Amino acid sequence: MTPDSPSYCHDCGEFGVDAELHCFDGSDVDPIRVDAIVRECIALERQVAERGEYPPRRLHELRRVLAGISDRRAVPALINGARCDSPQVRQACMKSLGFTEDRGGIGVLAEALSDVDDDVYRAAAVGLARIGGAAIEVLRSHLPDRTPDVPVSFALAWCKDPAAIDGLLAAAVQDNGDMWPNPVIALQELGDRRVLPRLCAHLTDLVDQAIALGAHENPGHWRMRPIVTLLAVLRD
C-alpha cells in the first residue's frame, strides 16, 4: 500500500481500511467530495438492506463523517442526501445541515419534521434550532410534539423561545408523578419570566390534585415530588 492508495490518510500518514476518513475535517471540505460520500453512503445502506448484511466498518465511518460536516458549501449535497430513502443517511444529513447554520437548509429540515422516522424527526428539530432565526417559526408550527421526548420543545427552549413551555411542562411530569429532569433543566435554562404564569398554573393544578388525594399530609407522597421540583424552578 502506498500514499497513492485510497486507504492512505495524507494528514496523519496512516494506512489501512478507511484511513482517508480518519482526519476528515467537516469545517473545510470540497463539496464534490461530500457529494461522493453521500452517494457511497446511500449505496452501502441499500446494499446492507437488500442483502440483510451487518453494516460494514466503512459504512459506520461514512455515517460518522456525514454527520459532522459544517462547511456551508456542502449544503446542496447534504440536501440531496436528506431526501434519500435511507433513514440513517437522512438523519446524518439533518445533523450536518444544522452544523452549517445555513438558512438554505431550512426547507428540507422543515420537511423532515414530518419524516416517518422518529430519529430523523429529532435530528431535524435540533438542526433547525442550530440555524435559529426564521427556523424558529418552523419549529413553532410543529407543536405539539409528536413524540414523548418533545424534541421540538427542547429545540425551542435552546432558542430561548417561550413556545417551548407547554411541551416541556407536559413532558416533565411522568405518569407515576416522578419528574423527568431534562425538561425541568430546560425550563430553568429558558430564563424567560413569561414561563412563571404557566408554571404557577401547572403547579396549582398539581397542588389541587394532591389535596384531593390527601397527599399534602404526607411530604413523601409521590404526588408531592413534582410540586417540590417545580417550586425549585420558580425559586431559581
Side-chain angles (χ1 to χ4, degrees), residues 18-225:
D18 312 315
E20 83 280 10
L21 298 176
H22 288 174
C23 297
F24 186 88
D25 182 3
S27 65
D28 183 18
V29 297
D30 180 352
I32 296 177
R33 188 181 184 194
V34 174
D35 186 65
I37 290 172
V38 169
R39 291 175 183 275
E40 184 181 358
C41 199
I42 292 173
L44 284 175
E45 294 282 5
R46 287 175 179 166
Q47 177 181 308
V48 168
E50 290 170 359
R51 300 180 183 179
E53 299 175 338
Y54 186 79
R57 175 181 166 181
R58 175 74 177 179
L59 181 52
H60 288 295
E61 284 296 301
L62 288 168
R63 287 175 182 170
R64 178 187 62 78
V65 166
L66 192 55
I69 295 169
S70 57
D71 191 326
R72 293 187 174 188
R73 295 174 299 169
V75 167
L78 292 171
I79 289 176
N80 289 337
R83 290 182 169 138
C84 75
D85 56 2
S86 166
Q88 291 85 0
V89 174
R90 295 200 303 274
Q91 180 185 359
C93 289
M94 297 304 157
K95 291 180 179 180
S96 283
L97 284 168
F99 288 140
T100 67
E101 299 182 1
D102 192 295
R103 294 182 60 180
I106 292 178
V108 72
L109 286 165
E111 293 173 14
L113 289 178
S114 300
D115 198 284
V116 296
D117 187 279
D118 286 343
D119 287 332
V120 176
Y121 162 69
R122 295 182 182 101
V126 174
L128 287 164
R130 289 186 180 279
I131 294 174
I136 295 176
E137 188 57 42
V138 174
L139 288 166
R140 288 180 189 148
S141 70
H142 283 78
L143 289 173
D145 292 86
R146 79 181 199 204
T147 57
D149 55 340
V150 294
V152 172
S153 295
F154 273 110
L156 285 167
W158 194 72
C159 296
K160 302 296 185 183
D161 191 296
I165 295 171
D166 288 340
L168 293 174
L169 282 174
V173 183
Q174 306 294 292
D175 292 339
N176 64 356
D178 283 337
M179 298 294 290
W180 180 25
N182 290 351
V184 176
I185 293 170
L187 285 167
Q188 290 173 316
E189 293 181 348
L190 191 57
D192 192 318
R193 297 189 67 83
R194 285 173 289 184
V195 73
L196 297 180
R198 295 191 211 179
L199 271 176
C200 289
H202 194 68
L203 185 59
T204 299
D205 290 341
L206 291 175
V207 170
D208 289 343
Q209 294 170 17
I211 291 175
L213 292 171
H216 62 294
E217 298 177 359
N218 176 12
H221 194 283
W222 65 269
R223 281 283 184 179
M224 298 300 294
R225 291 198 294 267

